Amino acid sequence: AHMIEREFKVISALKDTDVPVPVVPLLCEDSAVIGTPFYIMEFLEGRIFRDPAVPEVDATERAQIYKAMSDTLAKLHKVDWKAVGLESFGKPSGYLSRQITLWSRQYEAGKTHDIPNMDRLIAWLPEHIPEYDRTTISHGDFRLENLMIHPTKPVVLATLDWELATLGHPFADLAYNCMVWHLPYDTPNVPGLAGRALPPGLPSEEEYIAGYCAAAGLDNVPDYHFYLAFSFFRFTAIAQG
């Protein structure tokens, strides 16, 4: 189901930017070679943290890893997508409206039982889309598990898993990244931080957002709770499917 060609396109476009990505030297679109299109990616040695509490490191490094993550997201959103050749990577406006329509349809197609709160959210979101519209490259699944961290330093070596990337709204990326503070720690496949004591060095959601704003050159994130609601709506539609 991965859009191999789109992943290759965005990773290649970012190779000369400040966004850490692996080198992808070759795309093969001929399915006759191995049965499907594929690309070659360089091998990198690093760490992948599945648990957002990052229990493997001490408090100082934990704080530095979270700062590196927010800085990486800010770097992505500051890239001039036209200058790197991504004019055709998505539509330059109307991202939120299109996403709400898409995931509402996907949710209904995969629905196994009624969830009244989701029905209310589907009705609420289109009526409350913020007026502030901004277009950046949107990763679509930006979270700690999709970053490779240097083997010994709190530095992001590579941003991975670009299959949902498009031109979108940066605050949707940020809110999706911040869902972890609201997800229960025992959420299947995507453990969160809610419901357990936060380890030392881990920033609060407010502190994390402030760090992103500082790196992105913003004063604040207006209508943040809309983007958080939108992220949970999208997450729910995916989970139901």
Side-chain angles (χ1 to χ4, degrees):
H2 281 56
M3 297 294 290
I4 293 298
E5 298 85 353
R6 286 181 61 80
E7 282 199 322
F8 179 85
K9 183 173 184 176
V10 67
I11 295 172
S12 298
L14 293 170
K15 67 179 180 180
D16 294 322
T17 71
D18 291 336
V19 181
V21 291
V23 174
V24 284
L26 173 69
L27 169 68
C28 177
E29 298 181 87
D30 183 357
S31 296
V33 178
I34 65 170
T36 183
F38 67 94
Y39 63 80
I40 302 296
M41 178 187 286
E42 71 170 326
F43 179 83
L44 293 172
E45 189 72 53
R47 296 175 289 172
I48 300 290
F49 294 109
R50 309 286 182 189
D51 185 343
V54 204
E56 303 93 330
V57 303
D58 62 23
T60 298
E61 187 173 11
R62 189 175 293 116
Q64 292 170 335
I65 287 171
Y66 265 74
K67 182 180 186 305
M69 178 164 62
S70 65
D71 286 352
T72 297
L73 185 59
K75 288 175 183 177
L76 174 63
H77 293 160
K78 291 169 75 174
V79 171
D80 183 336
W81 47 274
K82 294 180 181 179
V84 298
L86 292 177
E87 298 96 330
S88 63
F89 198 62
K91 295 182 179 179
S93 62
Y95 170 79
L96 292 167
S97 178
R98 289 195 308 276
Q99 285 282 299
I100 292 168
T101 299
L102 168 66
W103 290 110
S104 294
R105 186 169 63 245
Q106 294 288 90
Y107 170 76
E108 293 295 340
K111 186 164 69 172
T112 59
H113 60 287
D114 288 331
I115 304 175
N117 281 338
M118 185 62 167
D119 295 335
R120 284 193 285 271
L121 190 55
I122 288 173
W124 183 87
L125 284 169
E127 302 298 324
H128 293 83
I129 296 175
E131 293 183 4
Y132 176 78
D133 195 12
R134 183 180 168 213
T135 301
T136 64
I137 301 169
S138 173
H139 182 278
D141 193 13
F142 192 86
R143 50 197 170 98
L144 183 60
E145 186 176 354
N146 285 334
L147 300 178
M148 178 174 281
I149 308 299
H150 187 279
T152 60
K153 297 182 289 187
V155 174
V156 177
L157 285 183
T159 311
L160 307 171
D161 201 356
W162 292 86
E163 68 165 318
L164 295 176
T166 187
L167 297 182
H169 202 296
F171 296 163
D173 251 2
L174 175 65
Y176 182 89
N177 188 200
C178 290
M179 283 199 310
V180 68
W181 276 275
H182 302 272
L183 285 170
Y185 68 92
D186 56 354
T187 304
N189 301 318
V190 282
L193 298 171
R196 57 173 162 171
L198 298 185
L202 196 73
S204 67
E205 181 181 15
E206 293 75 16
E207 290 169 336
Y208 185 80
I209 292 172
Y212 166 84
C213 287
L218 301 172
D219 294 328
N220 55 55
V221 180
D223 301 300
Y224 174 71
H225 286 89
F226 171 88
Y227 299 103
L228 189 61
F230 166 78
S231 296
F232 270 99
F233 151 78
R234 184 167 163 267
F235 179 74
T236 302
I238 293 171
Q240 185 77 146

